[in-house]
Every structure is written in structure tokens, then in C-alpha cells.
Coordinates of all heavy atoms in Angstrom, one line a residue:
M479 N -2.4 -17.4 19.4 CA -2.3 -18.7 18.9 C -2.3 -18.7 17.3 O -3.1 -18.0 16.7 CB -3.5 -19.6 19.4 CG -3.6 -20.9 18.8 SD -4.8 -21.9 19.6 CE -6.0 -22.1 18.3
A480 N -1.4 -19.4 16.7 CA -1.3 -19.5 15.3 C -2.1 -20.7 14.8 O -2.3 -21.7 15.5 CB 0.1 -19.5 14.8
C481 N -2.5 -20.6 13.5 CA -3.3 -21.7 12.9 C -2.5 -22.2 11.7 O -1.7 -21.5 11.1 CB -4.6 -21.3 12.4 SG -5.8 -20.8 13.7
P482 N -2.7 -23.5 11.3 CA -2.1 -24.0 10.1 C -2.5 -23.2 8.8 O -3.6 -22.6 8.8 CB -2.6 -25.4 9.9 CG -3.1 -25.8 11.3 CD -3.5 -24.5 11.9
A483 N -1.7 -23.2 7.8 CA -2.0 -22.5 6.6 C -3.3 -23.1 6.0 O -3.5 -24.3 6.0 CB -0.8 -22.6 5.6
I484 N -4.1 -22.2 5.4 CA -5.3 -22.6 4.7 C -5.1 -22.2 3.2 O -4.8 -21.1 2.9 CB -6.5 -21.8 5.3 CG1 -6.6 -22.0 6.8 CG2 -7.8 -22.1 4.5 CD1 -7.5 -21.0 7.5
T485 N -5.4 -23.2 2.3 CA -5.3 -22.9 0.9 C -6.7 -23.0 0.3 O -7.3 -24.0 0.4 CB -4.3 -23.9 0.2 OG1 -3.0 -23.8 0.8 CG2 -4.2 -23.6 -1.3
L486 N -7.1 -21.9 -0.3 CA -8.4 -21.9 -1.0 C -8.1 -21.9 -2.5 O -7.2 -21.4 -3.0 CB -9.1 -20.6 -0.7 CG -9.3 -20.3 0.8 CD1 -9.9 -18.9 1.0 CD2 -10.2 -21.3 1.4
T487 N -9.0 -22.6 -3.2 CA -8.9 -22.7 -4.7 C -10.1 -22.0 -5.4 O -11.1 -21.7 -4.7 CB -8.8 -24.2 -5.1 OG1 -10.0 -24.8 -4.7 CG2 -7.6 -24.9 -4.5
G488 N -9.9 -21.8 -6.7 CA -11.0 -21.1 -7.4 C -11.1 -19.6 -7.1 O -12.1 -19.0 -7.3
I489 N -10.0 -19.0 -6.8 CA -9.9 -17.6 -6.4 C -9.5 -16.8 -7.6 O -8.4 -16.6 -7.9 CB -9.0 -17.3 -5.2 CG1 -9.3 -18.3 -4.0 CG2 -9.1 -15.9 -4.8 CD1 -10.7 -18.1 -3.4
T490 N -10.5 -16.5 -8.4 CA -10.3 -15.6 -9.6 C -10.1 -14.2 -9.2 O -10.3 -13.9 -8.0 CB -11.5 -15.7 -10.6 OG1 -12.6 -15.1 -9.8 CG2 -11.8 -17.1 -11.0
A491 N -9.8 -13.3 -10.1 CA -9.6 -11.9 -9.8 C -10.9 -11.3 -9.2 O -10.8 -10.5 -8.3 CB -9.1 -11.1 -11.0
E492 N -12.0 -11.7 -9.7 CA -13.3 -11.2 -9.3 C -13.6 -11.7 -7.8 O -14.0 -10.9 -7.0 CB -14.4 -11.6 -10.2 CG -14.4 -11.0 -11.6 CD -13.4 -11.7 -12.5 OE1 -12.9 -12.9 -12.2 OE2 -13.0 -11.1 -13.5
V493 N -13.3 -13.0 -7.6 CA -13.5 -13.5 -6.2 C -12.5 -12.8 -5.2 O -12.9 -12.5 -4.1 CB -13.3 -15.1 -6.2 CG1 -13.2 -15.6 -4.8 CG2 -14.3 -15.7 -7.1
W494 N -11.3 -12.7 -5.6 CA -10.3 -12.0 -4.8 C -10.7 -10.6 -4.4 O -10.7 -10.2 -3.2 CB -8.9 -12.0 -5.5 CG -7.8 -11.4 -4.8 CD1 -6.9 -10.5 -5.3 CD2 -7.4 -11.6 -3.4 NE1 -6.0 -10.2 -4.4 CE2 -6.2 -10.8 -3.2 CE3 -7.9 -12.3 -2.3 CZ2 -5.6 -10.7 -2.0 CZ3 -7.2 -12.2 -1.1 CH2 -6.1 -11.5 -0.9
E495 N -11.2 -9.9 -5.4 CA -11.7 -8.5 -5.1 C -12.9 -8.5 -4.1 O -13.0 -7.7 -3.2 CB -12.0 -7.8 -6.4 CG -12.5 -6.3 -6.1 CD -11.5 -5.5 -5.3 OE1 -10.2 -5.7 -5.5 OE2 -11.9 -4.7 -4.5
C496 N -13.8 -9.5 -4.3 CA -14.9 -9.6 -3.4 C -14.5 -9.9 -2.0 O -15.0 -9.4 -1.0 CB -15.9 -10.7 -4.0 SG -17.3 -11.0 -2.9
C497 N -13.6 -10.8 -1.9 CA -13.1 -11.2 -0.6 C -12.4 -10.0 0.2 O -12.7 -9.8 1.4 CB -12.0 -12.4 -0.7 SG -12.7 -14.0 -1.2
R498 N -11.6 -9.3 -0.6 CA -11.0 -8.1 0.1 C -12.1 -7.1 0.5 O -12.0 -6.5 1.5 CB -10.0 -7.5 -0.9 CG -8.8 -8.3 -1.1 CD -7.6 -7.7 -1.7 NE -8.0 -7.1 -3.0 CZ -7.1 -6.7 -3.9 NH1 -5.8 -6.7 -3.6 NH2 -7.5 -6.2 -5.1
R499 N -13.0 -6.9 -0.4 CA -14.1 -5.9 -0.1 C -14.9 -6.4 1.2 O -15.2 -5.6 2.0 CB -15.1 -5.8 -1.3 CG -16.1 -4.8 -1.2 CD -16.9 -4.6 -2.5 NE -17.4 -5.9 -3.1 CZ -17.0 -6.4 -4.2 NH1 -16.1 -5.9 -4.9 NH2 -17.5 -7.6 -4.6
E500 N -15.2 -7.6 1.3 CA -15.9 -8.2 2.4 C -15.1 -8.0 3.7 O -15.6 -7.7 4.8 CB -16.3 -9.6 2.2 CG -17.5 -9.7 1.3 CD -18.7 -8.9 1.7 OE1 -19.2 -9.2 2.9 OE2 -19.2 -8.1 1.0
A501 N -13.8 -8.3 3.6 CA -12.9 -8.1 4.8 C -12.9 -6.7 5.2 O -13.0 -6.4 6.4 CB -11.5 -8.6 4.4
R502 N -12.9 -5.7 4.3 CA -12.9 -4.3 4.7 C -14.2 -4.0 5.3 O -14.3 -3.2 6.3 CB -12.7 -3.5 3.4 CG -11.2 -3.5 2.9 CD -11.0 -2.6 1.7 NE -9.8 -2.7 1.1 CZ -9.5 -3.2 -0.1 NH1 -10.6 -3.5 -0.9 NH2 -8.3 -3.4 -0.5
R503 N -15.3 -4.5 4.8 CA -16.7 -4.3 5.3 C -16.7 -4.8 6.8 O -17.4 -4.2 7.6 CB -17.7 -5.0 4.5 CG -19.1 -4.7 4.9 CD -20.2 -5.5 4.1 NE -20.1 -6.9 4.3 CZ -20.6 -7.5 5.4 NH1 -21.1 -6.9 6.3 NH2 -20.5 -8.8 5.5
L504 N -16.0 -5.8 7.1 CA -16.0 -6.4 8.5 C -15.0 -5.6 9.4 O -14.8 -6.0 10.5 CB -15.6 -7.9 8.4 CG -16.7 -8.7 7.7 CD1 -16.2 -10.2 7.6 CD2 -18.0 -8.7 8.6
G505 N -14.3 -4.6 8.9 CA -13.4 -3.8 9.7 C -12.0 -4.2 9.6 O -11.2 -3.7 10.4
V506 N -11.6 -5.0 8.7 CA -10.2 -5.4 8.5 C -9.6 -4.5 7.5 O -10.0 -4.3 6.4 CB -10.1 -6.9 8.0 CG1 -8.6 -7.2 7.8 CG2 -10.8 -7.8 9.0
T507 N -8.5 -3.8 7.9 CA -7.7 -2.9 7.0 C -7.0 -3.9 6.0 O -6.1 -4.6 6.5 CB -6.8 -2.1 7.8 OG1 -7.5 -1.3 8.7 CG2 -6.0 -1.2 6.8
F508 N -7.4 -3.8 4.8 CA -6.8 -4.8 3.8 C -6.1 -4.1 2.7 O -6.7 -3.3 1.9 CB -8.0 -5.6 3.2 CG -7.6 -7.0 2.9 CD1 -7.9 -8.1 3.7 CD2 -6.9 -7.3 1.7 CE1 -7.6 -9.4 3.4 CE2 -6.5 -8.5 1.4 CZ -6.9 -9.6 2.2
P509 N -4.8 -4.3 2.5 CA -4.1 -3.6 1.5 C -4.5 -4.1 0.1 O -5.1 -5.1 -0.1 CB -2.6 -4.0 1.8 CG -2.7 -5.2 2.6 CD -4.0 -5.2 3.3
D510 N -4.2 -3.3 -0.9 CA -4.5 -3.6 -2.3 C -3.4 -4.4 -3.0 O -3.0 -4.2 -4.1 CB -4.8 -2.4 -3.1 CG -6.1 -1.8 -2.8 OD1 -7.0 -2.5 -2.5 OD2 -6.2 -0.5 -2.9
T511 N -2.8 -5.3 -2.2 CA -1.7 -6.1 -2.7 C -2.0 -7.6 -2.7 O -3.0 -8.0 -2.0 CB -0.4 -6.0 -1.9 OG1 -0.7 -6.4 -0.5 CG2 0.1 -4.5 -1.9
D512 N -1.4 -8.4 -3.5 CA -1.7 -9.8 -3.6 C -0.9 -10.7 -2.6 O -1.2 -11.8 -2.4 CB -1.3 -10.4 -5.0 CG -2.2 -9.7 -6.1 OD1 -3.3 -9.2 -5.8 OD2 -1.8 -9.7 -7.3
T513 N 0.0 -10.1 -1.9 CA 0.7 -10.7 -0.8 C 0.9 -9.7 0.3 O 1.3 -8.6 0.0 CB 2.1 -11.2 -1.3 OG1 1.9 -12.2 -2.4 CG2 2.9 -11.9 -0.2
G514 N 0.7 -10.1 1.5 CA 0.9 -9.2 2.6 C 0.4 -9.7 3.9 O 0.2 -10.9 4.1
S515 N 0.1 -8.8 4.8 CA -0.4 -9.1 6.1 C -1.6 -8.2 6.4 O -1.6 -7.1 6.0 CB 0.7 -8.9 7.2 OG 1.8 -9.7 7.0
V516 N -2.5 -8.8 7.2 CA -3.7 -7.9 7.7 C -3.7 -8.0 9.2 O -3.3 -9.0 9.8 CB -5.0 -8.4 7.1 CG1 -5.1 -8.1 5.6 CG2 -5.3 -9.9 7.3
H517 N -4.1 -6.9 9.8 CA -4.1 -6.9 11.2 C -5.5 -6.4 11.7 O -6.1 -5.5 11.0 CB -3.0 -5.9 11.7 CG -1.7 -6.3 11.2 ND1 -0.9 -7.3 11.7 CD2 -1.0 -5.8 10.1 CE1 0.2 -7.4 11.0 NE2 0.2 -6.5 10.1
H518 N -5.9 -6.9 12.8 CA -7.2 -6.6 13.4 C -7.0 -6.6 14.9 O -6.1 -7.3 15.3 CB -8.3 -7.6 12.9 CG -9.7 -7.2 13.3 ND1 -10.2 -7.6 14.5 CD2 -10.6 -6.4 12.7 CE1 -11.4 -7.1 14.6 NE2 -11.7 -6.4 13.6
A519 N -7.9 -6.0 15.6 CA -7.7 -6.0 17.1 C -7.7 -7.4 17.6 O -7.1 -7.7 18.6 CB -8.8 -5.2 17.7
D520 N -8.4 -8.4 17.0 CA -8.6 -9.7 17.5 C -7.6 -10.7 16.8 O -7.4 -11.8 17.3 CB -10.0 -10.2 17.3 CG -11.0 -9.4 18.2 OD1 -10.6 -9.0 19.3 OD2 -12.1 -9.2 17.7
A521 N -7.1 -10.4 15.6 CA -6.4 -11.5 14.9 C -5.5 -10.8 13.8 O -5.7 -9.7 13.4 CB -7.3 -12.4 14.2
D522 N -4.4 -11.6 13.4 CA -3.5 -11.2 12.4 C -3.4 -12.3 11.4 O -3.4 -13.5 11.8 CB -2.1 -10.8 12.9 CG -2.2 -9.6 13.9 OD1 -2.9 -8.7 13.7 OD2 -1.5 -9.7 14.9
A523 N -3.1 -12.0 10.1 CA -3.0 -13.1 9.2 C -2.0 -12.6 8.1 O -1.9 -11.4 7.7 CB -4.3 -13.5 8.6
D524 N -1.3 -13.6 7.5 CA -0.5 -13.4 6.3 C -1.2 -14.1 5.2 O -1.9 -15.1 5.4 CB 0.9 -14.0 6.5 CG 1.7 -13.4 7.6 OD1 1.5 -12.2 7.9 OD2 2.5 -14.1 8.2
Y525 N -1.1 -13.5 4.0 CA -1.8 -14.1 2.8 C -1.0 -13.9 1.5 O -0.1 -13.0 1.4 CB -3.2 -13.4 2.6 CG -3.0 -11.9 2.2 CD1 -3.0 -11.6 0.9 CD2 -2.9 -10.9 3.2 CE1 -2.8 -10.3 0.5 CE2 -2.7 -9.6 2.8 CZ -2.7 -9.3 1.5 OH -2.5 -8.0 1.1
T526 N -1.3 -14.8 0.6 CA -0.7 -14.8 -0.7 C -1.7 -15.3 -1.7 O -2.2 -16.4 -1.6 CB 0.6 -15.7 -0.8 OG1 1.6 -15.2 0.1 CG2 1.2 -15.6 -2.2
W527 N -2.1 -14.4 -2.7 CA -3.0 -14.9 -3.8 C -2.1 -15.1 -5.0 O -1.3 -14.3 -5.4 CB -4.0 -13.8 -4.1 CG -4.9 -14.1 -5.2 CD1 -5.6 -15.2 -5.4 CD2 -5.1 -13.3 -6.4 NE1 -6.3 -15.2 -6.6 CE2 -6.0 -14.0 -7.2 CE3 -4.6 -12.1 -6.8 CZ2 -6.4 -13.5 -8.5 CZ3 -5.0 -11.6 -8.0 CH2 -5.9 -12.3 -8.8
N528 N -2.2 -16.3 -5.6 CA -1.5 -16.7 -6.8 C -2.5 -16.5 -7.9 O -3.4 -17.4 -8.1 CB -1.0 -18.1 -6.7 CG -0.1 -18.5 -7.8 OD1 -0.5 -18.2 -9.0 ND2 1.0 -19.1 -7.6
R529 N -2.3 -15.5 -8.7 CA -3.2 -15.2 -9.8 C -3.2 -16.3 -10.9 O -4.2 -16.6 -11.5 CB -2.8 -13.9 -10.4 CG -3.5 -13.4 -11.7 CD -2.9 -12.1 -12.2 NE -2.8 -11.1 -11.2 CZ -3.7 -10.2 -11.0 NH1 -4.8 -10.2 -11.7 NH2 -3.5 -9.2 -10.1
N530 N -2.0 -16.9 -11.1 CA -1.8 -17.9 -12.1 C -2.6 -19.2 -11.9 O -3.2 -19.8 -12.8 CB -0.4 -18.2 -12.4 CG 0.4 -17.0 -12.9 OD1 -0.2 -16.2 -13.6 ND2 1.6 -16.9 -12.5
D531 N -2.6 -19.7 -10.6 CA -3.3 -20.9 -10.4 C -4.6 -20.7 -9.6 O -5.3 -21.7 -9.2 CB -2.4 -22.0 -9.7 CG -1.9 -21.6 -8.3 OD1 -2.4 -20.6 -7.8 OD2 -1.1 -22.3 -7.8
G532 N -4.9 -19.5 -9.3 CA -6.2 -19.2 -8.6 C -6.3 -19.7 -7.2 O -7.3 -20.2 -6.7
T533 N -5.2 -19.7 -6.5 CA -5.2 -20.1 -5.1 C -4.9 -18.9 -4.1 O -4.2 -18.0 -4.5 CB -4.1 -21.2 -4.8 OG1 -2.8 -20.7 -5.1 CG2 -4.4 -22.4 -5.6
L534 N -5.4 -19.0 -3.0 CA -5.2 -18.1 -1.9 C -4.7 -18.8 -0.7 O -5.4 -19.7 -0.2 CB -6.5 -17.3 -1.6 CG -6.4 -16.3 -0.4 CD1 -5.4 -15.2 -0.6 CD2 -7.8 -15.8 -0.1
Q535 N -3.6 -18.5 -0.2 CA -3.1 -19.1 1.0 C -3.1 -18.1 2.2 O -2.6 -17.0 2.0 CB -1.7 -19.7 0.9 CG -1.2 -20.4 2.1 CD 0.1 -21.2 1.8 OE1 1.1 -20.6 1.4 NE2 0.1 -22.5 2.1
V536 N -3.7 -18.5 3.3 CA -3.9 -17.6 4.4 C -3.4 -18.4 5.6 O -3.7 -19.5 5.9 CB -5.4 -17.2 4.6 CG1 -5.5 -16.3 5.8 CG2 -6.0 -16.6 3.4
T537 N -2.5 -17.7 6.4 CA -2.0 -18.2 7.7 C -2.4 -17.2 8.8 O -1.9 -16.1 8.8 CB -0.5 -18.4 7.6 OG1 -0.2 -19.3 6.5 CG2 0.0 -19.1 8.9
F538 N -3.2 -17.6 9.7 CA -3.5 -16.7 10.8 C -2.4 -16.9 11.8 O -2.2 -18.0 12.3 CB -4.9 -17.1 11.4 CG -6.0 -16.6 10.6 CD1 -6.5 -17.3 9.5 CD2 -6.6 -15.4 10.9 CE1 -7.6 -16.8 8.8 CE2 -7.6 -14.8 10.2 CZ -8.1 -15.6 9.1
T539 N -1.7 -15.8 12.1 CA -0.6 -15.8 13.0 C -1.0 -15.5 14.4 O -0.2 -15.8 15.4 CB 0.5 -14.9 12.5 OG1 -0.1 -13.6 12.4 CG2 1.0 -15.3 11.1
R540 N -2.1 -14.9 14.6 CA -2.6 -14.6 15.9 C -4.2 -14.6 15.9 O -4.8 -14.0 15.0 CB -2.2 -13.2 16.4 CG -2.6 -12.8 17.8 CD -2.1 -11.4 18.2 NE -2.7 -10.4 17.3 CZ -3.8 -9.8 17.6 NH1 -4.6 -10.1 18.6 NH2 -4.2 -8.8 16.7
T541 N -4.8 -15.4 16.8 CA -6.2 -15.5 16.8 C -6.7 -15.4 18.3 O -5.9 -15.7 19.2 CB -6.7 -16.9 16.3 OG1 -6.2 -17.9 17.1 CG2 -6.2 -17.0 14.8
P542 N -7.9 -15.1 18.5 CA -8.5 -15.2 19.9 C -8.4 -16.6 20.4 O -8.7 -17.5 19.7 CB -9.9 -14.7 19.7 CG -10.0 -14.1 18.3 CD -8.9 -14.7 17.5
S543 N -8.2 -16.7 21.7 CA -8.1 -18.1 22.3 C -9.5 -18.8 22.3 O -9.5 -20.0 22.4 CB -7.6 -18.0 23.7 OG -8.4 -17.2 24.5
Y544 N -10.5 -18.1 22.2 CA -11.9 -18.7 22.2 C -12.4 -19.1 20.9 O -13.5 -19.7 20.8 CB -12.9 -17.7 22.9 CG -13.0 -16.4 22.2 CD1 -13.9 -16.2 21.2 CD2 -12.2 -15.3 22.6 CE1 -14.0 -15.0 20.5 CE2 -12.2 -14.1 22.0 CZ -13.2 -13.9 20.9 OH -13.2 -12.7 20.3
I545 N -11.7 -19.0 19.8 CA -12.1 -19.4 18.5 C -11.1 -20.4 18.0 O -9.9 -20.1 17.8 CB -12.2 -18.3 17.5 CG1 -13.2 -17.2 17.9 CG2 -12.6 -18.8 16.1 CD1 -13.4 -16.0 17.0
R546 N -11.5 -21.6 17.7 CA -10.7 -22.7 17.2 C -10.3 -22.4 15.7 O -11.1 -21.8 15.0 CB -11.4 -24.1 17.3 CG -11.6 -24.4 18.8 CD -12.2 -25.8 19.0 NE -12.4 -26.6 17.8 CZ -13.6 -27.0 17.4 NH1 -14.7 -26.7 18.1 NH2 -13.8 -27.7 16.3
C547 N -9.1 -22.9 15.3 CA -8.7 -22.8 14.0 C -9.6 -23.4 13.0 O -9.8 -22.8 11.9 CB -7.3 -23.4 13.8 SG -6.0 -22.6 14.7
E548 N -10.3 -24.5 13.3 CA -11.2 -25.1 12.4 C -12.4 -24.2 12.1 O -12.9 -24.1 11.0 CB -11.8 -26.4 13.0 CG -10.7 -27.5 13.2 CD -9.9 -27.4 14.4 OE1 -10.2 -26.5 15.3 OE2 -8.9 -28.1 14.6
M549 N -12.8 -23.4 13.1 CA -13.9 -22.5 12.9 C -13.5 -21.3 12.0 O -14.2 -20.9 11.1 CB -14.4 -21.9 14.2 CG -15.6 -20.9 14.1 SD -17.1 -21.6 13.3 CE -17.6 -22.8 14.6
I550 N -12.3 -20.8 12.2 CA -11.8 -19.8 11.3 C -11.7 -20.3 9.9 O -12.1 -19.5 9.0 CB -10.4 -19.3 11.9 CG1 -10.5 -18.6 13.2 CG2 -9.6 -18.4 10.8 CD1 -9.2 -18.4 13.9
E551 N -11.2 -21.5 9.7 CA -11.1 -22.0 8.3 C -12.5 -22.1 7.7 O -12.7 -21.8 6.6 CB -10.4 -23.4 8.3 CG -10.3 -23.9 6.9 CD -9.4 -25.2 6.8 OE1 -8.9 -25.6 7.8 OE2 -9.4 -25.7 5.7
M552 N -13.5 -22.6 8.5 CA -14.8 -22.8 8.0 C -15.4 -21.4 7.5 O -16.0 -21.3 6.4 CB -15.7 -23.4 9.0 CG -17.1 -23.7 8.5 SD -18.1 -24.5 9.8 CE -18.5 -23.0 10.8
R553 N -15.2 -20.4 8.3 CA -15.7 -19.1 8.0 C -15.0 -18.5 6.8 O -15.6 -17.9 5.9 CB -15.6 -18.1 9.2 CG -16.5 -18.5 10.3 CD -16.4 -17.5 11.4 NE -17.3 -17.9 12.5 CZ -17.3 -17.2 13.7 NH1 -16.5 -16.2 13.9 NH2 -18.2 -17.6 14.6
L554 N -13.7 -18.7 6.7 CA -12.9 -18.2 5.5 C -13.4 -18.9 4.3 O -13.6 -18.2 3.2 CB -11.5 -18.4 5.8 CG -10.5 -17.8 4.8 CD1 -10.6 -16.3 4.8 CD2 -9.1 -18.3 5.1
R555 N -13.6 -20.2 4.3 CA -14.0 -20.9 3.1 C -15.5 -20.5 2.7 O -15.8 -20.4 1.5 CB -14.0 -22.4 3.4 CG -12.5 -23.0 3.4 CD -12.5 -24.5 3.4 NE -11.1 -24.9 3.6 CZ -10.2 -24.9 2.6 NH1 -10.6 -24.6 1.4 NH2 -9.0 -25.3 2.7
E556 N -16.3 -20.3 3.7 CA -17.7 -19.9 3.4 C -17.7 -18.5 2.8 O -18.4 -18.3 1.8 CB -18.5 -19.9 4.7 CG -20.0 -19.4 4.5 CD -20.8 -20.3 3.6 OE1 -20.4 -21.4 3.2 OE2 -21.9 -19.9 3.2
G557 N -16.9 -17.6 3.3 CA -16.8 -16.3 2.7 C -16.3 -16.3 1.3 O -16.9 -15.6 0.4
A558 N -15.3 -17.1 1.0 CA -14.8 -17.2 -0.4 C -15.9 -17.8 -1.3 O -16.1 -17.4 -2.4 CB -13.6 -18.1 -0.4
R559 N -16.6 -18.8 -0.8 CA -17.7 -19.5 -1.6 C -18.8 -18.4 -1.9 O -19.3 -18.4 -3.0 CB -18.3 -20.7 -0.8 CG -19.3 -21.5 -1.7 CD -20.0 -22.5 -0.9 NE -20.9 -21.9 0.1 CZ -22.1 -21.3 -0.1 NH1 -22.5 -21.2 -1.4 NH2 -22.8 -20.8 0.9
L560 N -19.2 -17.6 -0.9 CA -20.2 -16.6 -1.2 C -19.7 -15.6 -2.2 O -20.5 -14.9 -2.8 CB -20.6 -15.9 0.2 CG -21.3 -16.8 1.1 CD1 -21.5 -16.1 2.5 CD2 -22.7 -17.2 0.6
C561 N -18.4 -15.4 -2.3 CA -17.8 -14.5 -3.3 C -17.7 -15.2 -4.7 O -17.2 -14.5 -5.6 CB -16.5 -13.9 -2.8 SG -16.7 -12.6 -1.7
G562 N -18.0 -16.5 -4.8 CA -18.0 -17.1 -6.1 C -16.9 -18.2 -6.2 O -16.7 -18.7 -7.3
A563 N -16.1 -18.4 -5.2 CA -15.0 -19.5 -5.3 C -15.7 -20.8 -5.5 O -16.8 -21.1 -4.9 CB -14.1 -19.5 -4.1
R564 N -15.1 -21.7 -6.2 CA -15.6 -23.0 -6.4 C -15.1 -24.0 -5.4 O -14.2 -23.8 -4.7 CB -15.4 -23.6 -7.8 CG -14.3 -23.0 -8.6 CD -14.2 -23.6 -10.0 NE -13.1 -22.9 -10.7 CZ -11.9 -23.1 -10.6 NH1 -11.4 -24.1 -9.9 NH2 -11.0 -22.4 -11.3

């Protein structure tokens, strides 16, 4: 199941690095690029970080059927906030 695109704001270079580090800590193989795709046994997502306006757009293209898109968005926003996003 795919979810609508999620746009996060306040994603500075420091926040972006923290988010990628945390994703890796959770077992997600995360490339060192600002645009791409990540894959995990349970989910896949496409992402684009815009350095100029400090936004990160994430679209989950595959998710487990037992997790609603709203929960995924809430967790993603909380993770970014814990990394310093405003």
C-alpha cells in the first residue's frame, strides 16, 4: 500500500544528517544522496531533500498493511523533530 507524500520543513543539513543516521540505526540502508529510494523488508520509500528551502519530501511506496499512513507520518515527523526540525 502506498501513502500520500509527506513534506517536512525545517530540515537543515544537520537535521538531515541526523535523520539519515537514525534511519540507519533502525536498519534502513540509507544512501548518502539527497534524492533517492530506501528499501526495507517491511517498507519502501522515495525521498527528496531540498537544501535550499529546507524541506524533505517522503513518499512511502510500500508499507505493511497493519500500519496506517497517518501513523507512519506521525513517526516520521516525530523523528525529524527529535533531530531538531522545527
Side-chain angles (χ1 to χ4, degrees):
M479 176 169 111
C481 294
I484 302 164
T485 301
L486 306 173
T487 59
I489 309 297
T490 63
E492 294 79 18
V493 171
W494 178 226
E495 182 54 38
C496 176
C497 289
R498 290 193 304 193
R499 186 173 51 249
E500 285 303 304
R502 288 182 189 116
R503 186 183 66 75
L504 294 171
V506 177
T507 302
F508 210 102
D510 287 327
T511 60
D512 295 341
T513 299
S515 298
V516 293
H517 306 283
H518 187 270
D520 295 326
D522 298 320
D524 297 329
Y525 67 90
T526 300
W527 175 55
N528 185 316
R529 177 182 309 267
N530 295 327
D531 66 8
T533 59
L534 173 64
Q535 185 169 55
V536 181
T537 303
F538 283 85
T539 56
R540 184 179 62 86
T541 63
S543 61
Y544 57 88
I545 299 178
R546 293 184 3 241
C547 292
E548 295 84 6
M549 181 61 69
I550 292 171
E551 181 173 356
M552 184 180 79
R553 289 182 181 176
L554 188 64
R555 288 187 184 284
E556 178 65 9
R559 188 188 66 74
L560 290 173
C561 279
R564 20 180 176 88

